[in-house]
Amino acid sequence: MHPLTLRKLFIDGPAGQLETVIDHPPEARRGIALIAHPHPLFGGTLDNKVVQTLAKTFVELGYVALRPNFRGAGKSAGAFDEGRGEIEDMLAVAGFARREFGNLPFLLAGFSFGAFVQSRVMTRLPAEKLVLIAPAVERFDISAVPANTLVIHGEEDDVVPLASVLNWARPQQLPIVLLPGTGHFFHGRLTQLKQIVLDACKS
């Protein structure tokens, strides 16, 4: 990616400054993609490979992609807040994006713990699409999501078992895109993950 398309800055959040990376598309912007990283107490940051893959994917689709470090992660101020404060962090980043980039449609994406955060943000922030990667449905209460939500999960996920995701999706009749033979972090399968998101979010 061209270095001029990436910008790192600090955004005012409810618990202090939020370290954020913004990736810009080379052409006109189609929308704003907000990307939430995995659990910060288990090493989750904006530099996570799945999060970076999502950012690159959405930029390719014409979105300006923002990926903050939640409170207490990286150089962001504050301390982990069990998801409550992290929802507020993401809403603060959304407010910044709206002021900075105007009235573009939002797309919300999250990986693992970040999927939980974005499922809650979706109830307070109108968005055209929700993309959940390996949603942590066992550890956090992820409620029902819109019918057009894209959910991608690894067959051999040992952090969030596939069975628990199917149990969560079944009452909603929500399709799951399954990657056979891969675990929670999609090692060696990020190119395939990217292509699935590209195909699902093109229109």
Side-chain angles (χ1 to χ4, degrees), residues 60-186:
E60 199 167 308
L61 288 164
Y63 290 88
V64 54
L66 293 88
R67 44 190 169 107
N69 268 330
F70 289 130
R71 57 185 65 195
K75 295 180 181 176
S76 290
F80 180 66
D81 192 33
E82 304 290 341
R84 295 177 297 269
E86 288 76 11
I87 294 164
E88 300 301 325
D89 291 346
M90 192 57 71
L91 289 166
V93 173
F96 168 87
R98 176 64 76 228
R99 293 188 299 273
E100 187 85 357
F101 304 114
N103 196 32
L104 293 169
F106 281 109
L107 181 151
L108 304 177
F111 172 37
S112 195
F113 167 75
F116 158 70
V117 171
Q118 295 292 49
S119 73
R120 294 302 180 88
V121 170
M122 186 80 176
T123 66
R124 296 171 58 182
L125 179 73
E128 64 176 7
K129 186 80 171 176
L130 181 62
V131 176
L132 305 181
I133 312 298
V137 296
E138 272 198 336
R139 299 173 184 224
F140 297 93
D141 181 20
I142 302 182
S143 52
V145 295
N148 72 337
T149 299
L150 173 63
V151 182
I152 305 174
H153 208 79
E155 178 191 18
E156 297 177 2
D157 193 321
D158 58 349
V159 176
V160 184
L162 174 60
S164 65
V165 176
L166 292 174
N167 289 339
W168 165 76
R170 195 173 292 114
Q172 307 177 62
Q173 298 184 344
L174 186 69
I176 304 293
V177 179
L178 179 66
L179 268 67
T182 192
H184 189 66
F185 294 98
F186 300 89

Side-chain angles (χ1 to χ4, degrees), residues 40-58:
L41 297 188
F42 298 96
T45 71
L46 61 78
D47 291 319
N48 172 270
K49 293 297 184 186
V50 172
V51 170
Q52 290 189 43
T53 297
L54 288 171
K56 291 173 184 175
T57 304
F58 294 129

